[in-house]
């Protein structure tokens, strides 16, 4: 909403020294979002005067029409002689009054005017258009032609109100009252503690039997309809300059007097109006719901097929307007150029000022993709009591400016209704804000916004008609708090009750995040939405459980209608995006929920809104939700260690993804085992299957390794990219997060190396597990330090695995025989389980 400061001053006696910036600060403090203050004419400097065209000479021989004019500017040029000006516009004639800028002046944008030779003539100034003066669109796209009665030589800066300040306010959806000068003036008066001259306080005649006939068939959609008639409008009457300028300042284009007046009153009072050509309306004006399939041509010239829920204005022929949105072309006000004959111009009009249902107007506007100034106001709430005043104000202006006659008939159809009343404890705002305001302050502030307040400890508050957003005690408390100043609320940190903090689950998630960040990974948070095509790109089997997804009823994007069952699609998309932007060495991680549909789908019940849901309600709601385990995943590409003076560096490989899984398992205190695996997007020869023991049974909790080249090509990922994903909830379940202090022995370690030859398909992890179990309690650690394959020495399909075994006792120094015996037991168990034989 654009609010000219000059217009605002008509209703509030602001101090003369107050600038737009000062008013902006006051309104922001009161809760209105004033985005900018536009200084109109800030760089404009005269002389800018009214002139009368004396002669026009058409210059020949140029590519475009050029005219050499002499203009009478009175004594403004210091000589009284006609001013010679070259102009290319065609929309003015000899005798017209125009706006002339003389040499020495400066136009908006810093454009300085001086005498200059052009088209073979010397031009001493310029005849101005509205765009050149920064006035906005006046509909002519040409020179400003002033009314004939305008005085020659008059200062045009003052005449056209070119210097002003305009406040641009972002009005929230609940403050429809501030989509008017009246509403903003009320807020300004409250902010400054000044009285308001309410423009809606007019003497309005009561309804009578002589008004134009109106029938409202849907009182729920239209609870108030006022109709007034004005006859004998002058076809030559034009909107005065002051009215046109005010419309331009608020962002509207002047059209014709009758239309301009209705727009002006709408901006002034916030009540949308519509003017019908009385001779085009046939019979009784009605308000009803449209019949399915009915059609109407609206003022924008578009034929629209109506919906059965559309509220329409009708006459005996059918729909003549979309209620609260836009009128119909059949009853449009006709106007003409003053230089042409007046035949066909509208001389009698019917003024409609009605109050329509907010929801009905909003749905109609969206259904037809037809947002208008009227619909914006009805959607946010219009003062129903202002309809009669707005109609009277429109009638008064038409009589004053167009010489019309107001007919005595007044039509007013009103549905029964009562003011909205709220009961509130006097100290309720104190409890909401944590500040003691006191009853007197609460009552005073509510009265300032227009409420009637009665009672002592319990207040009975009658809400003003212009504030339909005030519906409950919290709304009233907000009014008191904002008017007392949000900046005056103390900043008090809440005190958490003792003994509470992060849960064990939250602490684990934070430890894992810190551990991965410490290992060089960067956290990337992704949207949980995926397309089902991504599972084909990842190479999942047709019966893979990950393909069972939960679909959204109203997805943000039709291309991603499902919730993720894996973190990899989002992470890989982030990897591709960053690689495409020049970051090639990447290590990303994410912890987040995945969504798995339940076998028995349940429909969630609609929870009550008038009370807190019961524990049973919440339990039933949770039962209808999909399972949502938390996963952790990493992706890597490019260099894992950078090259430098310290060495050549190395690229990321499958072992880094496996180590990330070990890092997560260590933080969870889980015994994570690894073996060769094959699943989905991973390379079958470079994939580790990650398992844990749950309730005595082995369970696969994830995979790690290098991604398949086919997947990399399909997704557009860098070569040799690696990934890991784990079910974090299962790790938390089997893990032991109780800190275990390491045992430190003062006795020396005994090291035994062993090289075992096994079949090439036997996983090293199985051999290691057998050695660990066979070595018993004396084994301190085991490490695979060499893998050797040579068909000539070992045989076809065989490999050698060399392990370093460290033995130590807590209470004594081990003998060679004890260490050797433990080693032989370990080798024997490995031979029994995996077929391993000692090398050499």
């Amino acid at each position: 909403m654009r609010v000219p400061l000059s217009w605002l001053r008509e209703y509030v006696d602001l101090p003369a020294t107050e600038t737009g910036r000062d008013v902006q600060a006051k309104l922001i403090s009161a809760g209105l979002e004033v985005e900018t203050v536009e200084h109109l004419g800030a760089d404009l400097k005269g002389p800018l005067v009214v002139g009368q065209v004396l002669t026009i000479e058409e210059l020949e021989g140029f590519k475009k029409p050029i005219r050499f004019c002499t203009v009478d500017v009175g004594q403004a040029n210091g000589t009284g002689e006609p001013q010679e000006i070259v102009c290319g516009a065609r929309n003015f004639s000899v005798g017209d009054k125009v706006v002339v800028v003389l040499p020495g002046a400066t136009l908006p944008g810093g454009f300085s005017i001086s005498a200059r030779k052009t088209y073979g003539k010397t031009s001493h100034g310029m005849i101005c258009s509205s765009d050149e003066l920064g006035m906005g669109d006046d509909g002519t796209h040409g020179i400003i032609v002033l009314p004939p009665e305008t005085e020659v030589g008059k200062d045009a800066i003052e005449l056209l109100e070119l210097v002003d300040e305009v406040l641009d306010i972002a009005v929230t959806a609940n403050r429809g009252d501030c989509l008017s000068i009246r509403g903003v003036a009320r807020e300004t008066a409250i902010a400054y503690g000044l009285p308001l001259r309410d423009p809606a306080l007019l003497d309005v005649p009561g309804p009578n039997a002589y008004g134009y006939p109106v029938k409202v068939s849907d009182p729920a959609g239209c609870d108030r309809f006022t109709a007034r008639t004005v006859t004998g409008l002058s076809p030559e009457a034009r909107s005065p300059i002051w009215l046109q300028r005010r419309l331009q300042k608020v962002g509207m284009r002047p059209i014709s007097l009758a239309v301009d007046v209705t727009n002006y009153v709408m901006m002034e009072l916030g009540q949308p109006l519509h003017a019908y050509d009385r001779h085009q309306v046939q019979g009784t004006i009605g308000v009803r719901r449209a019949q399915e399939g009915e059609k109407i041509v609206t003022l924008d010239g578009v034929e629209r097929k109506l919906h059965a829920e559309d509220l329409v204005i009708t006459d005996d022929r059918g729909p003549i307007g979309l209620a609260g949105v836009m009128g119909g072309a059949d009853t449009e006000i006709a106007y003409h150029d003053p230089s042409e004959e007046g035949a066909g111009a509208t001389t009698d009009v019917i003024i409609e000022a009605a109050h329509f249902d907010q929801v009905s107007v909003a749905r109609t506007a969206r259904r037809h993709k037809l947002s208008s100034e009227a619909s914006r106001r009805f959607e946010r709430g219009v003062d129903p009591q202002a309809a009669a005043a707005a109609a009277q104000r429109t009638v008064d202006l038409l009589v004053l400016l167009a010489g019309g006659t107001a007919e005595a008939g007044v039509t007013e159809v009103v549905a029964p209704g009562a003011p909205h009343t709220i009961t509130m404890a006097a100290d309720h705002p104190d409890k909401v804000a944590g500040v003691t305001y006191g009853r007197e302050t609460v009552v005073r502030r509510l009265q300032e916004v227009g409420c009637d307040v009665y009672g002592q400890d319990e207040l009975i508050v009658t809400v003003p008609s212009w504030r339909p957003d005030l519906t409950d005690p919290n709304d009233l408390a907000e009014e008191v708090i904002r008017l007392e100043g949000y900046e005056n609320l103390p900043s008090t940190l809440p005190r958490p009750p003792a003994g509470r903090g992060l849960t064990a689950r939250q602490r684990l998630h934070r430890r894992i995040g810190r551990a991965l960040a410490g290992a060089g990974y960067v956290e990337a948070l992704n949207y949980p939405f995926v397309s089902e095509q991504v599972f084909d790109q990842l190479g999942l089997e047709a019966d893979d459980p990950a393909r069972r997804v939960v679909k959204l009823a109203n997805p943000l994007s039709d291309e991603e209608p499902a919730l993720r069952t894996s973190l990899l699609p989002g992470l890989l998309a982030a990897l591709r995006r960053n690689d495409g932007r020049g970051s090639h060495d990447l290590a990303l991680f994410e912890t987040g929920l995945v969504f798995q549909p339940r076998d028995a789908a349940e429909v969630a019940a609609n929870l009550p809104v008038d009370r807190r849901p019961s524990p049973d309600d919440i339990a039933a709601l949770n039962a209808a939700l999909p399972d949502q385990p938390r996963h952790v995943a990493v992706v890597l590409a490019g260099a894992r260690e950078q090259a430098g003076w310290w060495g050549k560096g190395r690229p990321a490989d499958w072992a880094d993804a496996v180590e990330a899984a070990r890092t997560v398992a260590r933080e969870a205190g889980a015994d994570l085992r690894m073996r060769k695996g094959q699943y989905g997007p991973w390379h079958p020869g470079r994939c580790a299957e990650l398992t844990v023991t749950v309730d005595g049974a082995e369970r696969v909790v994830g995979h790690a390794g290098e991604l398949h080249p086919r997947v990399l090509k399909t997704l557009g990922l860098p070569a040799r990219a690696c990934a890991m994903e784990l079910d974090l909830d299962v790790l938390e379940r089997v893990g032991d997060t109780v800190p275990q202090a390491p045992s430190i022995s003062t006795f020396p370690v005994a090291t035994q190396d062993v090289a075992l030859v096994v079949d090439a398909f036997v996983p090293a992890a199985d051999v290691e597990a057998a050695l660990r179990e066979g070595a018993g309690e004396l084994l301190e650690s085991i490490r695979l330090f060499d893998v050797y394959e040579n068909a000539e020495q070992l045989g076809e399909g065989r490999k050698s695995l060399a392990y370093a075994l460290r033995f130590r006792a807590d209470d004594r120094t081990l003998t060679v025989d004890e260490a050797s015996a433990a080693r032989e037991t370990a080798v024997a168990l490995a031979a029994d389980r995996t077929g391993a034989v000692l090398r050499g």
Side-chain angles (χ1 to χ4, degrees):
M1 176 67 191
R2 291 170 57 84
V3 180
L5 191 59
S6 59
W7 199 349
L8 196 62
R9 289 182 183 274
E10 280 198 10
Y11 310 126
V12 184
D13 288 327
L14 294 172
T17 57
E18 288 294 285
T19 66
R21 294 290 185 190
D22 299 328
V23 178
Q24 178 189 33
K26 285 283 189 180
L27 293 180
I28 289 175
S29 179
L32 293 184
E33 186 180 350
V34 184
E35 294 185 324
T36 60
V37 177
E38 183 179 352
H39 297 269
L40 302 181
D43 52 356
L44 177 64
K45 186 179 71 172
L48 188 72
V49 298
V50 176
Q52 183 173 22
V53 180
L54 300 178
T55 64
I56 298 177
E57 178 188 349
E58 300 289 345
L59 301 182
E60 304 294 339
F62 300 102
K63 293 183 179 179
K64 62 179 182 178
I66 298 296
R67 310 167 100 186
F68 180 66
C69 310
T70 59
V71 185
D72 178 13
V73 295
Q75 297 298 318
N77 57 5
T79 64
E81 297 294 326
Q83 201 79 3
E84 297 179 341
I85 299 175
V86 175
C87 182
R90 314 289 297 177
N91 68 313
F92 64 94
S93 307
V94 172
D96 284 345
K97 303 288 180 67
V98 294
V99 178
V100 178
V101 58
L102 301 177
T106 303
L107 294 182
F111 182 57
S112 298
I113 302 299
S114 60
R116 64 191 184 96
K117 190 169 183 179
T118 179
Y119 296 103
K121 301 285 186 178
T122 300
S123 181
H124 298 274
M126 189 168 74
I127 302 175
C128 298
S129 68
S130 59
D131 287 338
E132 290 163 341
L133 297 179
M135 295 170 55
D137 183 14
D138 63 355
T140 65
H141 304 291
I143 294 302
I144 301 171
V145 179
L146 300 171
E149 64 272 14
T150 310
E151 179 185 350
V152 172
K154 184 178 178 64
D155 184 1
I157 295 178
E158 179 182 351
L159 174 69
L160 300 177
E161 302 177 14
L162 296 178
V163 178
D164 202 351
E165 293 182 273
V166 179
L167 286 71
D168 194 350
I169 303 175
V171 179
T172 55
N174 66 316
R175 292 302 304 271
D177 60 304
C178 288
L179 286 174
S180 66
I181 304 297
R182 178 196 184 200
V184 176
R186 182 180 293 108
E187 292 294 318
T188 306
I190 295 173
Y192 278 91
L194 297 171
L196 169 70
R197 289 189 293 275
D198 191 342
L201 295 180
L202 300 175
D203 290 330
V204 179
N208 53 51
Y210 308 108
Y212 197 91
V214 174
K215 180 181 178 181
V216 177
S217 302
D218 191 338
C222 175
D223 57 7
R224 184 178 296 266
F225 195 107
T226 299
R228 300 288 299 275
T229 304
V230 181
T231 60
L233 300 180
S234 171
E236 290 80 20
R238 300 175 58 193
S239 299
I241 293 174
W242 63 267
L243 192 149
Q244 293 187 46
R245 288 297 295 133
R246 286 191 170 178
L247 288 178
Q248 288 173 330
K249 289 177 184 178
V250 298
M252 302 192 76
R253 181 171 64 87
I255 298 174
S256 67
L257 178 60
V259 176
D260 292 349
V261 167
T262 58
N263 286 336
Y264 177 84
V265 175
M266 176 179 66
M267 289 298 175
E268 182 180 56
L269 302 182
Q271 168 67 54
L273 302 111
H274 189 70
Y276 300 94
D277 187 328
R278 181 175 180 177
H279 298 295
Q280 300 300 324
V281 178
Q282 299 181 11
T284 301
I285 292 178
V287 183
R288 62 169 172 82
R289 298 289 172 176
Q291 298 174 8
E292 192 69 41
E294 277 189 308
K295 296 181 180 180
I296 183 176
V297 178
T298 47
L299 288 174
D300 56 359
V302 177
E303 183 179 77
R304 303 180 186 277
K305 186 176 181 180
L306 301 179
H307 188 275
E309 291 185 2
D310 291 335
L311 192 68
V312 293
I313 311 298
T314 65
D315 64 4
D316 291 349
R317 296 168 296 177
I320 59 173
L322 285 173
V325 180
M326 185 175 285
D330 290 343
T331 57
E332 182 180 6
I333 298 294
Y335 63 97
H336 70 287
D337 190 300
S339 62
E340 299 175 356
E341 293 296 327
T346 297
T347 57
D348 301 338
V349 298
I350 301 172
I351 306 300
E352 166 209 304
H355 184 260
F356 301 111
D357 177 61
Q358 293 178 239
V359 176
S360 175
V361 172
R363 288 178 175 173
T364 297
R366 284 158 179 73
R367 189 180 296 119
H368 295 284
K369 298 180 176 60
L370 188 61
S371 179
S372 63
E373 291 290 344
S375 67
R376 287 183 62 224
R377 284 160 176 79
F378 279 121
E379 289 173 15
R380 289 159 175 79
V382 169
D383 180 5
Q385 301 292 336
Q392 182 63 46
R393 176 75 164 138
T394 305
V395 168
D396 292 343
L397 287 173
L398 288 176
V399 170
L400 174 68
L401 302 176
T405 301
E407 289 194 351
V410 177
T411 303
E412 191 166 2
V413 180
V414 181
H420 181 56
T421 300
I422 303 171
T423 301
M424 179 186 74
D427 62 349
H428 182 66
D430 301 4
K431 294 178 180 178
V432 173
V435 175
T436 302
Y437 293 120
R439 179 186 177 280
E440 291 74 16
T441 299
V442 171
V443 172
R444 175 172 57 85
R445 287 304 191 182
L446 292 179
Q447 288 175 339
E448 285 179 345
V449 299
C451 298
D452 291 329
V453 186
Y454 303 94
Q456 293 298 319
D457 294 338
E458 187 174 73
L459 303 179
I460 300 175
V461 183
T462 301
V463 174
S465 58
W466 57 82
R467 290 300 302 274
D469 59 307
L470 303 181
T471 60
D472 57 56
N474 285 333
D475 294 329
L476 301 179
E478 182 183 3
E479 291 300 296
V480 174
I481 295 168
R482 76 176 181 88
L483 294 179
E484 284 295 304
Y486 291 122
E487 68 276 9
N488 296 324
L489 293 177
S491 298
T492 306
L493 292 175
R495 293 184 178 180
R500 296 184 181 180
L502 298 177
T503 64
R505 179 184 177 88
Q506 291 170 329
R507 288 196 296 271
L508 172 61
H509 296 164
R510 292 196 178 189
R511 286 202 312 273
I512 289 173
R514 285 194 293 266
L516 290 174
Y521 291 87
V522 176
E523 186 171 16
L525 301 178
N526 300 289
Y527 288 117
F529 313 117
V530 296
S531 66
E532 294 184 85
Q533 288 74 23
V534 75
F535 302 125
D536 296 327
Q537 297 170 338
L538 292 177
L540 300 187
E541 299 292 339
D543 58 349
D544 194 296
R547 285 183 175 271
R548 294 185 60 234
V549 295
V550 177
K551 290 188 177 180
L552 299 172
N554 55 341
L556 295 179
S557 169
D558 292 335
E559 296 180 358
E560 295 180 331
L563 293 173
R564 66 189 178 190
T565 56
S566 167
L567 300 182
L568 287 184
L571 272 179
L572 293 176
L575 181 72
R576 178 179 63 248
R577 189 162 51 249
N578 282 275
D579 181 71
R581 294 174 179 173
S583 299
H584 304 301
D585 303 326
L586 296 162
L588 308 177
F589 85 93
E590 181 179 9
T591 61
L593 301 179
V594 298
F595 304 86
Q596 300 169 350
R598 298 179 187 269
D599 294 332
E602 297 184 22
V603 178
N606 291 325
L607 297 182
V609 296
D610 58 341
R611 58 180 173 83
R612 187 184 188 279
S614 67
D616 291 340
D617 292 334
I618 297 176
L621 180 64
N622 288 332
L625 296 177
D627 290 327
Q628 301 177 49
R630 183 173 290 272
H631 282 201
V632 58
V634 305
V635 294
L636 306 100
R640 184 63 177 142
E641 295 178 3
Q642 296 292 332
W645 58 265
W646 52 86
K648 295 182 179 179
R650 69 173 183 85
D653 61 18
W654 64 269
D656 293 303
V658 172
E659 182 57 30
R662 290 196 179 100
T663 300
V664 172
R666 281 195 297 270
E667 294 298 327
D671 181 16
L672 186 68
R673 293 182 293 278
M674 297 152 197
R675 64 187 180 206
K676 182 179 179 181
Q678 181 174 347
Y679 177 71
W682 280 277
H683 192 297
R686 298 172 187 146
C687 173
E689 189 175 74
L690 311 175
T691 66
V692 295
T693 300
V694 181
D695 298 329
E698 190 175 58
R699 178 171 172 180
V700 177
V701 292
H703 295 82
E706 184 179 316
L707 295 175
H708 198 288
R710 182 174 59 251
V711 173
L712 299 179
K713 182 179 180 181
T714 302
L715 294 177
L717 299 172
R720 308 303 292 269
C722 303
M724 178 278 294
E725 184 168 13
L726 278 172
D727 188 327
L728 200 51
D729 282 357
V730 178
L731 289 185
E732 179 186 6
R733 177 180 170 188
V734 303
D736 182 6
T737 57
V738 177
Q740 299 290 334
S743 60
I744 301 175
S745 174
T746 60
F747 296 96
V749 65
T751 301
Q752 296 275 341
D753 292 344
V754 59
L756 300 176
V757 178
V758 296
D759 290 331
F761 62 82
V762 175
D766 291 350
V767 178
E768 180 180 324
L771 290 173
R772 187 183 299 277
E773 183 179 343
E777 296 181 353
L778 295 179
L779 182 66
E780 182 179 77
S781 68
I782 181 172
R783 179 174 61 87
L784 174 67
F785 66 85
D786 184 53
V787 178
Y788 177 70
E789 295 183 10
N790 188 309
E792 293 181 1
Q793 297 183 16
L794 303 178
E796 191 69 32
R798 305 279 282 175
K799 65 182 177 181
S800 172
L801 305 175
Y803 294 90
L805 289 73
R806 291 168 58 91
F807 298 96
R808 195 195 307 261
D810 294 334
D811 57 350
R812 68 190 187 281
T813 299
L814 292 178
T815 64
V816 174
D817 292 339
E818 288 178 310
S820 297
R823 172 180 177 274
E824 291 171 1
T825 304
V827 171
L829 186 59
D832 182 58
R833 289 188 176 177
T834 66
V837 296
L838 282 171
R839 182 181 171 188

